Amino acid sequence: MIEFVTVWILTVGYFEYDYQKGGPATYQLQYATQSVCEKQKKNHVFENKGAKTRFWARCDFQQIPVYKQVK
């Protein structure tokens, strides 16, 4: 049997606006609840003007299929 489980995806993007560093990139982290995702989001958003880097983040939900063996 397939059951769908909701997970929360924190997508973090950053942009190196120094032309020699390479531009934008992203990474994603998974969390079980929206509240944990929102708390972690605060740890990933900042701007470092000295390093010319800007970070942004967002939390979105995703449903993933999980196979459960029926006995």
Side-chain angles (χ1 to χ4, degrees), residues 38-69:
E38 293 293 341
K39 286 178 187 175
Q40 289 300 314
K41 180 175 147 180
K42 295 175 186 177
N43 296 328
H44 291 270
V45 179
F46 65 91
E47 184 169 358
N48 183 340
K49 293 185 180 184
K52 297 183 178 178
T53 306
R54 180 177 299 140
F55 286 77
W56 56 268
R58 60 185 272 173
C59 288
D60 297 299
F61 73 91
Q62 179 180 22
Q63 290 189 318
I64 58 172
V66 175
Y67 177 76
K68 278 188 137 181
Q69 187 172 5

Side-chain angles (χ1 to χ4, degrees), residues 9-13 26-29 37 41 56-60:
I9 308 296
L10 174 62
T11 302
V12 180
T26 61
Y27 58 91
Q28 293 184 320
L29 303 167
C37 186
K41 180 175 147 180
W56 56 268
R58 60 185 272 173
C59 288
D60 297 299

Side-chain angles (χ1 to χ4, degrees), residues 6-23:
T6 300
V7 295
W8 287 87
I9 308 296
L10 174 62
T11 302
V12 180
Y14 58 95
F15 185 76
E16 302 270 356
Y17 45 98
D18 181 347
Y19 69 92
Q20 296 175 348
K21 300 251 177 157

